Amino acid sequence: MYIKQIIIQGFKSYKEQTVIEPFSPKHNVIVGRNGSGKSNFFAAIRFVLSDAYTQMGKEERQALLHEGTGPAVMSAFVEIIFDNSDERFPTGKPELVLRRTIGIKKDEYSLDRKNATKSDVMNLLESAGFSRSNPYYIVPQGRVTALTNMKDAERLTLLKEVAGTQVYEARRAESLKLMTETNNKRSKIDELLAYIKDRLSELEEEKEELRDYQEKDKERRCLQYTIDHREQIAIADELDHLDEQRQNGVEDTDDNRERFIQGEKELAEIDAEIRELKQQVEFLNVDKKQFEIERKDTARSKAKSELDLQELTDGLNTAQQAKSQVDQQVKSLQSSIAQHEQELTKITPEFQARKQEEATIKSELDSAEATRQRLYAKQGRNARFRNKKERDDWLRKEIDESYPQITKIKAVRMQTTEEISDIEKEIVAMETEIAHLREQYEQRGTNSESMQEQIQLAKAGHDRLVDTRRELWREYDKLDSVLRNAQQELREAEKQLSHRMDQNTSRGLAAVRRIKAQHNLDGVYGTLAELMEVNDIYRTAVEVTAGNSLFHYVVDNEETASKVLEILQRERSGRITFMPLNRLKHKSANVPKANDVIPIIEKINFDPMYLRAFEHVFGKTVICPNLTVAAQYARSHGVDAITMEGDRSDKKGALTGGYHDPRQSRLEAVKNVTKWRKEYESQLARSSELKRTLEQKDQEITAALSNLRKLEQTRQRQENSYGPLRQELQSKTSNLQNKKDTLEAKTRAMANIEANTKALSDQQNALEAEMNSEFKKSLTQDEETQLENLSFTVQDLRRQYSEVSSTRSELETRKSTLEIELQESLRPRVEQLSAQSLNGMEGGAQGNLRTTQKDLKRVNKAMDTLSQKLREIEESIDSSNAQITELEQRHAETRRQQEEIAKGIERQQKRMEKSIQKKALLTKQAAEVSSRIRDLGVLPQEAFAKFEKTKSDAIVKRLHKVNEALKKYSHVNKKAFQQYDQFTNQRDTLTKRREELDSSHASIEELITVLDQRKDEAIERTFKQVSREFASVFEKLVPAGKGRLVIQRKTDRQVAEEDDSDSDHRESVENYTGVGISVSFNSKHDDQQRIQQLSGGQKSLCALTLIFAIQRCDPAPFYLFDEIDANLDAQYRTAVAQILHRLSNASENGQFICTTFRPEMLLVAEKCYGVRYVGKSSRVVSVSREDAMEFVQGERQ
């Protein structure tokens, strides 16, 4: 084990945290200038490991903290990290971190980052080899000088410390102290024994006088018992008489009380019936008001419906007349349309045939013309060419020029074909769309009727919702009345309850209920009164037993109670007593097991979870039939007993009773409050539910009204869309006709393109045929014949074409005329008249007429129903008012009877109260008599019958004589027998204790002798070891010399030298006076000198030798030397450095950390460190041996 690392912060000159590089486990040397902090470094280690810094005051603590500029240092710490690889510390870890922190007001230790006490730290250090008796493993500045100047007696004290004699001396001092105490106790016991002996002699005489006194006193007690017993019997007879009178009075009172309670119940029932009837009348008035309002609304609706019906009837008649005229015009137009369509159907096939014939003739004519033109062209060309080649070249050129034309014509034909196909598709689509629009237009009447039916259904649904909402409002108004009545009753009940408790409790209960609701505290259950149910028979007994505990609040635990109490305190909202269930502990009572006793808790109904609270209040109370039985059980079983009338007897004998007015019952008041609070909360919840239902109905009505408006808007849009629909139909029809015309034009163009294509192809074929024929200047015979025939054919085809074209033109003109009349005149006119006819029917509101008729019928029925209900309500109101009058008369009569009964009960109660007062007085007297009898003590058997027949006067006279005789014994010691026994026992006990102390005294003397012997042995053993090691170390440091230790005794005042290492003579340590040092530096045989005769350097070397000798006798894990070579010569510094080097390299020795200003120790150091003082703060850094040597050399120069 060795010091691995040290961390310092805030300690003396080390302001900032200084983390020193890990130390070598062998020899470490620290160098630094004076004042740089070397000594403070060693002080920091001593601060943690030694006892040098203990029991410091505030100023001493302040002195350890860094003082300088900047922020003040409030605390400092020194942390030493030990390498524990050899497990010298029994922690089981490879390292041990020991820290001590100090401040102005604190001083703390920690082990491995955990807080520890100083004793724990010191015990741990001693277990690792840090001996308190040998503090020389740390040698600060001045320690060597102190040893040098130490006197022989002081060195003897040092040797005692190293030998550990402090333990023996402490135990010896403790034994001497015990011996002194034992001697003192023996002296006191001797004094007490002498006193007891004298006192026993006196008590022998007092015992005889006490026997005479006891005879007289026994007679006195017998006489006194006879007198008291006769008085006790008289009091008991009087109490029995009072109980009999009271029992008779109680029976009468019970009868009156039963009648009174029955009357109160009857009054409560009458009040309830009156309230119910009044509420019923109020409901009927609300219904009457609502029905009257509904009847007025219904009357207005009826008047409006009648006016609407009249208007609709008149409008319908007018619309029917107009419709008749329109129907005649439509019929005439439809006839014309049929004629035109018939004629058009007849003309169209003929027109198509003529058109086809015209196209055929035209095609033949064009073909003949083209052939004839080619023949004429061929005839003219042949004269232009001289030979076949020229002709063929020109023909080839013409053929080539015809190809682009044919291609262009084919492209136009293809485009025209596509256009025709597109137009045909558009025509098909437009015909479908027109058919759909025409179907819509023709179904407009059916759609209007369907839409009208949807609107009527929507109106009916809306009316049903409105009726439902009206019923809900009527119920809400009734509920509002009920709610106000319940709230008023609740306030009245709470007011009555508050009169039965103090104001702070009333305010506190209200505040707790509010706090529970606001903070949602499930653990706040309620008061005892709210959590129980009691039969009316036992209600008075329960109330009297509980008292103010009825209003104690039951909670689950003290945390809930504390939270509520904190809020109450903050809000200043009254005072409440809480009963935390987890803190209540019930002690079982000695409840009697008898037929005339009932535990009161068995007659209370409550939730088992509140058992602890109810046991706490009612667990020790029983119900008895009468007060006499109650008093007996209260005394015999130590319980509180109570009667059902509320008369109470506690276990101390106190009786409490009197009349309890049932009208002032707190339980009944709590029950009433609970009932009306539940009623109010129930009605309030129902009111909230109705309000939500009404809001929902309002939303449904709004949605239904919105749907109705949407349907009406849809109908309006539908009606308004028929005109645009008709216009759209006409526009679509016109567009369709235009498309058909375009298609016909495209078809004609296609025919022309086909003809042109055919002409070009024929021309091209003719040119190719001509090019393949022989070259001639004129036409061939066949060609001329063909040309001649073609002339006649062309003339004939022209004539036919002219005739067919004229016929086709006439038919086309007629066809166009018919189509234009149909499309632009007849059909639009029919559609216009049909629309007017339909609009005329809708404008006449035929559908609205039926609706209005239904509405009027419904309104008439509603009027009849409302009138009937109003008549029934008025009859019910009259009947209820009559019942209320009758009940109020009954209530007044019953109230009068109740007052008479209450007066009778009050008179009887006063008589009973007087009886109770007298009974209390007699009970007190009986208790006093019983107390006097008990004070007489245990009586002889003859006391119960000796004076039984003697008259009371004679007994009194004899008692007086006995009392006079007893006066002469006033000085007698009545405890003589007892005191004699006590002193005898005390004498025996003290004698035994005296023998024990004698034995203890002998044992202590023997222990002191053993301790002195062991201390002498330890000192002699230690001296021999240190002396031997001193001689060995001195020989290594001064090879040419010799040194030894000399012990001095009282018998040898002349500083006799004695070789204790060879002496077997043993003397007491008290005979030793000192330890001297005798050395020779030049020879092993010359006379040796005492340390006082040496130079300063030689003295220092002897002191170091003594330190090394002590350390070798009691090795430590490491050693700290602060400038121990300061006063040595060079040769001795070298010798000291070499011995430190050998010790550090030896496996059995420990780590060395030294400071020096000399180079000799640096030469053998394993690791070097430098202390620097920069910015008024010290730091320790690792340096090389060369840097350390350079620093030392510089300091020497």
Side-chain angles (χ1 to χ4, degrees):
M1 185 199 74
Y2 62 91
I3 294 178
K4 187 175 182 180
Q5 195 171 19
I6 298 176
I7 302 173
I8 310 173
Q9 178 176 325
F11 185 84
K12 290 193 174 183
S13 61
Y14 293 87
K15 179 181 180 181
E16 305 297 333
Q17 180 170 320
T18 301
V19 180
I20 302 173
E21 187 173 326
F23 290 98
S24 167
K26 297 181 179 180
H27 191 193
N28 302 270
V29 176
I30 300 174
V31 297
R33 292 184 174 86
N34 287 328
S36 62
K38 300 192 301 299
S39 297
N40 290 340
F41 171 76
F42 277 92
I45 299 176
R46 294 175 64 203
F47 170 70
V48 178
L49 300 180
S50 72
D51 292 334
Y53 296 91
T54 57
Q55 298 179 351
M56 295 181 291
K58 181 178 179 181
E59 294 179 356
E60 293 173 319
R61 294 172 186 268
Q62 182 67 46
L64 295 180
L65 302 179
H66 177 81
E67 296 181 355
T69 59
V73 176
M74 303 306 296
S75 66
F77 74 85
V78 179
E79 181 175 286
I80 301 178
I81 302 175
F82 293 95
D83 182 278
N84 193 34
S85 57
D86 57 354
E87 296 185 355
R88 197 160 183 171
F89 287 114
T91 61
K93 297 181 180 179
E95 285 186 355
L96 176 74
V97 180
L98 174 60
R99 173 185 284 199
R100 184 178 180 183
T101 304
I102 193 169
I104 300 299
K105 296 182 179 180
K106 69 176 181 178
D107 189 0
E108 300 172 345
Y109 285 89
S110 67
L111 286 171
D112 288 334
R113 316 297 181 189
K114 297 179 181 179
N115 290 337
T117 63
K118 182 179 179 180
S119 60
D120 294 338
V121 173
M122 293 306 166
N123 292 335
L124 183 66
L125 291 175
E126 285 196 4
S127 68
F130 296 92
S131 174
R132 292 188 184 182
S133 61
N134 180 14
Y136 284 92
Y137 63 91
I138 299 178
V139 182
Q141 285 186 16
R143 178 66 62 84
V144 175
T145 303
L147 283 174
T148 301
N149 300 327
M150 191 176 286
K151 296 180 181 180
D152 293 346
E154 292 174 347
R155 276 193 288 273
L156 177 61
T157 302
L158 172 62
L159 194 64
K160 290 180 179 180
E161 291 179 359
V162 174
T165 59
Q166 294 174 347
V167 177
Y168 299 111
E169 290 175 353
R171 292 188 63 184
R172 189 176 189 278
E174 184 178 352
S175 299
L176 290 173
K177 183 179 179 182
L178 288 174
M179 182 180 289
T180 303
E181 292 176 355
T182 302
N183 291 332
N184 292 335
K185 291 178 181 178
R186 289 165 67 188
S187 300
K188 289 181 181 180
I189 289 173
D190 291 340
E191 293 176 359
L192 287 173
L193 287 173
Y195 169 75
I196 290 171
K197 184 178 180 182
D198 296 339
R199 184 62 180 143
L200 286 175
S201 299
E202 295 174 359
L203 288 174
E204 286 290 344
E205 298 174 358
E206 292 177 358
K207 283 169 60 179
E208 294 299 327
E209 189 177 11
L210 180 60
R211 288 189 182 94
D212 296 336
Y213 168 78
Q214 287 178 343
E215 290 295 329
K216 295 291 183 182
D217 185 65
K218 181 171 69 173
E219 183 178 1
R220 180 193 65 80
R221 290 188 293 124
C222 290
L223 292 169
Q224 186 66 47
Y225 170 75
T226 303
I227 295 172
D228 292 339
H229 182 62
R230 289 177 180 178
E231 185 179 357
Q232 190 177 38
I233 292 173
I235 293 173
D237 293 340
E238 185 66 23
L239 285 173
D240 292 339
H241 178 66
L242 287 176
D243 285 339
E244 185 178 354
Q245 288 182 346
R246 185 178 183 279
Q247 188 63 33
N248 295 331
V250 166
E251 292 176 358
D252 296 338
T253 303
D254 289 343
D255 293 339
N256 290 332
R257 187 175 295 170
E258 289 295 331
R259 288 172 56 200
F260 185 82
I261 293 173
Q262 188 63 33
E264 287 296 320
K265 289 182 178 179
E266 186 176 351
L267 284 175
E269 291 174 357
I270 293 173
D271 288 336
E273 290 180 10
I274 291 174
R275 283 197 301 270
E276 184 177 355
L277 287 171
K278 286 183 177 179
Q279 192 171 26
Q280 186 176 354
V281 169
E282 188 175 353
F283 290 163
L284 291 172
N285 286 326
V286 171
D287 290 342
K288 180 180 178 182
K289 184 178 179 181
Q290 291 288 337
F291 285 138
E292 287 177 349
I293 293 172
E294 290 181 17
R295 186 169 65 176
K296 289 180 182 179
D297 294 340
T298 306
R300 285 196 294 270
S301 299
K302 179 181 178 182
K304 185 176 181 301
S305 297
E306 289 176 347
L307 290 175
D308 291 343
L309 182 62
Q310 185 63 37
E311 291 177 1
L312 289 171
T313 302
D314 296 340
L316 184 61
N317 293 333
T318 304
Q320 286 178 348
Q321 294 176 2
K323 183 176 181 301
S324 178
Q325 296 176 359
V326 170
D327 289 343
Q328 292 178 359
Q329 294 179 11
V330 169
K331 187 175 181 181
S332 175
L333 288 171
Q334 286 179 347
S335 177
S336 299
I337 289 171
Q339 293 176 0
H340 280 67
E341 288 178 346
Q342 184 179 5
E343 184 178 357
L344 187 62
T345 303
K346 182 178 179 182
I347 289 175
T348 299
E350 186 178 355
F351 169 72
Q352 293 295 336
R354 291 290 180 266
K355 185 177 179 181
Q356 184 66 32
E357 184 180 358
E358 181 183 12
T360 302
I361 293 173
K362 182 68 169 63
S363 177
E364 292 177 357
L365 178 60
D366 291 341
S367 178
E369 284 285 350
T371 303
R372 192 175 65 168
Q373 290 296 328
R374 286 197 300 273
L375 289 175
Y376 281 135
K378 182 180 179 181
Q379 185 177 7
R381 281 196 304 272
N382 289 337
R384 291 167 52 190
F385 303 113
R386 291 176 297 179
N387 52 38
K388 185 176 184 300
K389 184 176 182 305
E390 289 181 359
R391 184 199 67 179
D392 289 344
D393 292 339
W394 185 84
L395 290 175
R396 174 57 59 190
K397 181 180 179 182
E398 287 295 324
I399 290 171
D400 293 338
E401 289 178 355
S402 66
Y403 279 123
Q405 294 180 6
I406 293 173
T407 303
K408 184 177 181 180
I409 290 173
K410 286 182 178 180
V412 172
R413 183 180 65 182
M414 184 179 297
Q415 183 179 358
T416 304
T417 302
E418 291 177 356
E419 290 177 353
I420 289 172
S421 177
D422 293 339
I423 292 171
E424 288 176 346
K425 291 179 181 178
E426 290 178 2
I427 289 172
V428 171
M430 291 179 69
E431 287 177 347
T432 304
E433 188 174 359
I434 288 170
H436 180 66
L437 290 174
R438 191 177 300 281
E439 182 180 1
Q440 286 183 354
Y441 186 73
E442 290 174 354
Q443 291 180 353
R444 61 188 182 279
T446 304
N447 293 337
S448 296
E449 292 178 0
S450 175
M451 184 58 64
Q452 188 65 29
E453 290 178 358
Q454 292 182 25
I455 290 173
Q456 292 304 317
L457 290 174
K459 283 183 178 180
H462 176 265
D463 292 341
R464 284 194 300 273
L465 289 173
V466 170
D467 292 339
T468 303
R469 183 178 64 177
R470 189 179 293 113
E471 291 294 331
L472 288 173
W473 272 113
R474 188 179 297 116
E475 184 179 356
Y476 184 77
D477 290 338
K478 291 180 182 178
L479 191 60
D480 187 55
S481 175
V482 174
L483 194 60
R484 287 197 304 272
N485 180 62
Q487 187 176 18
Q488 182 178 358
E489 292 290 343
L490 176 60
R491 288 175 180 172
E492 183 64 26
E494 289 177 343
K495 181 179 178 182
Q496 294 297 327
L497 178 60
S498 66
H499 289 164
R500 291 164 173 76
M501 67 179 79
D502 62 275
Q503 184 179 1
N504 280 334
T505 303
S506 177
R507 290 173 54 238
L509 289 175
V512 171
R513 284 194 295 270
R514 175 174 51 78
I515 291 168
K516 176 184 178 181
Q518 288 178 352
H519 298 272
N520 194 22
L521 300 177
D522 296 333
V524 180
Y525 301 126
T527 62
L528 279 179
E530 293 171 348
L531 299 176
M532 72 168 77
E533 292 182 3
V534 184
N535 193 296
D536 292 343
I537 300 174
Y538 305 102
R539 188 171 63 197
T540 303
V542 170
E543 283 191 33
V544 173
T545 301
N548 290 330
S549 297
L550 283 174
F551 304 113
H552 290 180
Y553 231 99
V554 180
V555 296
D556 54 355
N557 52 52
E558 67 273 13
E559 294 180 1
T560 303
S562 299
K563 184 175 182 180
V564 178
L565 283 173
E566 182 181 351
I567 298 173
L568 286 175
Q569 181 68 24
R570 187 170 61 247
E571 297 179 352
R572 299 182 179 179
S573 303
R575 297 180 64 83
I576 285 294
T577 300
F578 288 96
M579 302 178 71
L581 293 176
N582 66 324
R583 296 297 297 273
L584 296 177
K585 295 181 179 178
H586 172 66
K587 295 182 179 179
S588 300
N590 184 19
V591 179
K593 306 293 184 182
N595 295 330
D596 55 352
V597 174
I598 303 173
I600 193 171
I601 197 171
E602 294 180 1
K603 298 302 178 181
I604 303 174
N605 296 323
F606 56 87
D607 194 310
M609 71 179 294
Y610 311 127
L611 177 62
R612 289 187 178 183
F614 283 93
E615 283 183 341
H616 182 76
V617 177
F618 302 102
K620 297 182 180 180
T621 304
V622 295
I623 301 175
C624 299
N626 53 61
L627 194 58
T628 303
V629 176
Q632 292 175 356
Y633 283 118
R635 288 193 301 269
S636 62
H637 289 76
V639 296
D640 294 333
I642 194 169
T643 65
M644 287 188 290
E645 293 78 22
D647 298 335
R648 184 176 182 182
S649 175
D650 61 19
K651 55 189 175 182
K652 295 181 180 180
L655 300 177
T656 307
Y659 172 67
H660 294 277
D661 189 352
R663 292 175 296 180
Q664 301 298 320
S665 172
R666 290 186 287 184
L667 278 177
E668 185 65 24
V670 171
K671 182 179 179 181
N672 200 26
V673 168
T674 304
K675 181 187 79 172
W676 285 112
R677 181 177 290 121
K678 288 182 179 178
E679 177 69 15
Y680 175 72
E681 291 174 353
S682 174
Q683 298 300 337
L684 188 63
R686 175 59 181 160
S687 175
S688 300
E689 183 181 357
L690 272 178
K691 187 176 287 187
R692 289 193 298 270
T693 306
L694 281 168
E695 291 174 356
Q696 183 179 357
K697 287 299 176 185
D698 288 339
Q699 294 175 0
E700 292 177 0
I701 289 171
T702 302
L705 187 61
S706 175
N707 185 41
L708 180 61
R709 288 176 180 173
K710 286 180 181 179
L711 290 174
E712 290 178 346
Q713 290 174 0
T714 302
R715 183 186 66 179
Q716 189 65 32
R717 286 197 302 270
Q718 195 177 60
E719 291 175 355
N720 295 334
S721 67
Y722 290 140
L725 182 64
R726 185 173 61 252
Q727 293 177 0
E728 184 180 4
L729 184 60
Q730 291 175 355
S731 175
K732 294 287 184 182
T733 304
S734 176
N735 291 336
L736 178 62
Q737 187 61 40
N738 291 335
K739 288 292 181 182
K740 287 182 178 180
D741 294 342
T742 302
L743 179 62
E744 186 176 355
K746 289 291 183 181
T747 303
R748 287 197 298 270
M750 187 66 182
N752 293 332
I753 290 170
E754 292 289 344
N756 292 334
T757 302
K758 186 174 183 300
L760 285 174
S761 298
D762 291 345
Q763 182 180 358
Q764 191 177 34
N765 293 331
L767 290 175
E768 290 177 351
E770 183 180 355
M771 189 174 60
N772 294 325
S773 64
E774 295 179 358
F775 178 73
K776 293 181 178 181
K777 293 289 186 178
S778 61
L779 297 174
T780 62
Q781 185 64 36
D782 293 335
E783 289 174 344
E784 289 181 356
T785 302
Q786 183 182 5
L787 182 60
E788 184 177 357
N789 291 332
L790 285 173
S791 297
F792 292 109
T793 302
V794 167
Q795 291 179 1
D796 184 46
L797 289 173
R798 284 179 178 174
R799 179 182 55 77
Q800 293 179 11
Y801 179 75
S802 177
E803 292 176 356
V804 172
S805 178
S806 175
T807 304
R808 191 266 309 160
S809 178
E810 292 177 358
L811 291 172
E812 184 177 6
T813 302
R814 180 59 182 168
K815 177 175 173 292
S816 299
T817 301
L818 291 173
E819 288 177 346
I820 289 171
E821 288 180 353
L822 283 172
Q823 293 176 3
E824 297 182 1
S825 178
L826 295 176
R827 286 176 179 167
R829 179 60 179 164
V830 169
E831 292 175 356
Q832 182 180 4
L833 291 174
S834 298
Q836 290 179 359
S837 176
L838 183 60
N839 292 335
M841 284 191 65
E842 293 171 354
Q846 185 173 3
N848 289 338
L849 177 62
R850 291 193 296 270
T851 302
T852 304
Q853 289 173 347
K854 291 179 181 179
D855 289 344
L856 183 60
K857 184 177 180 181
R858 180 179 56 80
V859 168
N860 289 329
K861 185 177 180 181
M863 282 289 291
D864 295 339
T865 303
L866 288 172
S867 298
Q868 179 64 26
K869 287 183 178 180
L870 284 171
R871 286 193 296 271
E872 293 175 355
I873 288 172
E874 289 175 353
E875 292 175 358
S876 298
I877 290 173
D878 295 338
S879 175
S880 298
N881 286 330
Q883 292 181 18
I884 289 171
T885 303
E886 181 182 353
L887 288 172
E888 287 176 347
Q889 293 174 357
R890 280 179 55 197
H891 185 276
E893 179 64 23
T894 306
R895 175 59 65 188
R896 184 185 61 77
Q897 295 175 1
Q898 288 292 98
E899 291 175 355
E900 293 177 357
I901 295 172
K903 290 178 181 178
I905 292 174
E906 187 175 359
R907 289 191 297 269
Q908 183 65 29
Q909 186 64 27
K910 289 180 180 179
R911 291 194 295 269
M912 291 179 66
E913 288 176 357
K914 291 180 180 179
S915 176
I916 288 174
Q917 292 174 358
K918 185 176 180 181
K919 181 177 180 180
L921 180 60
L922 291 172
T923 303
K924 182 177 180 182
Q925 293 176 359
E928 293 174 353
V929 172
S930 298
S931 178
R932 291 200 300 269
I933 292 175
R934 285 195 300 273
D935 292 341
L936 293 175
V938 180
L939 297 172
Q941 189 65 31
E942 60 185 10
F944 301 103
K946 184 176 182 180
F947 303 105
E948 184 177 359
K949 298 180 180 180
T950 307
K951 293 182 179 180
S952 298
D953 294 340
I955 292 175
V956 172
K957 290 179 181 180
R958 187 167 181 178
L959 177 62
H960 178 70
K961 291 179 181 180
V962 172
N963 286 333
E964 289 296 326
L966 285 172
K967 286 181 180 179
K968 66 178 183 179
Y969 295 102
S970 58
H971 64 281
V972 71
N973 184 7
K974 298 177 182 179
K975 297 182 179 179
F977 294 111
Q978 182 180 358
Q979 289 176 355
Y980 186 85
D981 293 338
Q982 289 177 351
F983 278 110
T984 302
N985 294 333
Q986 191 174 4
R987 181 190 61 188
D988 296 340
T989 303
L990 289 173
T991 302
K992 184 177 180 182
R993 178 61 178 157
R994 180 68 166 77
E995 294 172 356
E996 292 176 355
L997 289 174
D998 292 339
S999 175
S1000 176
H1001 185 270
S1003 299
I1004 293 172
E1005 288 181 341
E1006 182 181 356
L1007 175 62
I1008 290 173
T1009 303
V1010 172
L1011 289 175
D1012 289 340
Q1013 182 180 355
R1014 290 182 180 178
K1015 183 173 70 172
D1016 294 344
E1017 292 174 355
I1019 291 176
E1020 290 179 3
R1021 183 172 58 253
T1022 303
F1023 175 76
K1024 290 178 180 180
Q1025 292 178 355
V1026 173
S1027 179
R1028 184 171 55 252
E1029 295 296 336
F1030 182 86
S1032 175
V1033 172
F1034 190 83
E1035 185 177 358
K1036 291 178 181 178
L1037 292 175
V1038 186
K1042 179 181 180 182
R1044 63 173 182 157
L1045 296 180
V1046 179
I1047 193 164
Q1048 300 173 355
R1049 298 179 176 84
K1050 292 179 181 180
T1051 56
D1052 188 7
R1053 297 291 182 178
Q1054 302 300 324
V1055 196
E1057 296 181 0
E1058 180 178 348
D1059 189 358
D1060 291 329
S1061 61
D1062 299 328
S1063 175
D1064 295 330
H1065 179 67
R1066 173 175 297 165
E1067 298 183 25
S1068 173
V1069 72
E1070 302 299 330
N1071 191 37
Y1072 298 154
T1073 60
V1075 175
I1077 298 177
S1078 177
V1079 296
S1080 172
F1081 281 84
N1082 299 322
S1083 172
K1084 296 182 181 294
H1085 305 287
D1086 292 345
D1087 293 336
Q1088 295 181 344
Q1089 296 175 316
R1090 305 303 295 252
I1091 191 169
Q1092 291 83 359
Q1093 301 171 343
L1094 302 177
S1095 65
Q1098 291 174 339
K1099 288 181 180 180
S1100 297
L1101 185 63
C1102 291
L1104 284 175
T1105 304
L1106 181 59
I1107 290 173
F1108 287 140
I1110 292 173
Q1111 290 176 349
R1112 294 179 69 172
C1113 290
D1114 188 8
F1118 64 87
Y1119 303 94
L1120 303 177
F1121 293 157
D1122 190 3
E1123 298 184 13
I1124 59 173
D1125 58 353
N1127 298 325
L1128 300 180
D1129 296 336
Q1131 57 178 346
Y1132 298 135
R1133 290 200 300 270
T1134 301
V1136 169
Q1138 290 299 326
I1139 197 170
L1140 289 178
H1141 181 65
R1142 286 194 297 272
L1143 290 173
S1144 63
N1145 288 328
S1147 59
E1148 68 273 6
N1149 287 286
Q1151 177 189 37
F1152 287 86
I1153 301 176
C1154 309
T1155 64
T1156 185
F1157 279 105
R1158 308 297 181 180
E1160 288 79 8
M1161 199 173 291
L1162 291 173
L1163 295 174
V1164 297
E1166 182 78 16
K1167 201 166 186 181
C1168 299
Y1169 296 86
V1171 181
R1172 299 175 182 175
Y1173 188 73
V1174 181
K1176 296 186 178 181
S1177 178
S1178 299
R1179 290 192 305 124
V1180 180
V1181 296
S1182 176
V1183 298
S1184 65
R1185 181 177 299 167
E1186 291 75 12
D1187 292 340
M1189 291 291 293
E1190 183 179 351
F1191 170 78
V1192 170
Q1193 295 296 335
E1195 286 294 312
R1196 293 180 63 186
Q1197 292 175 1

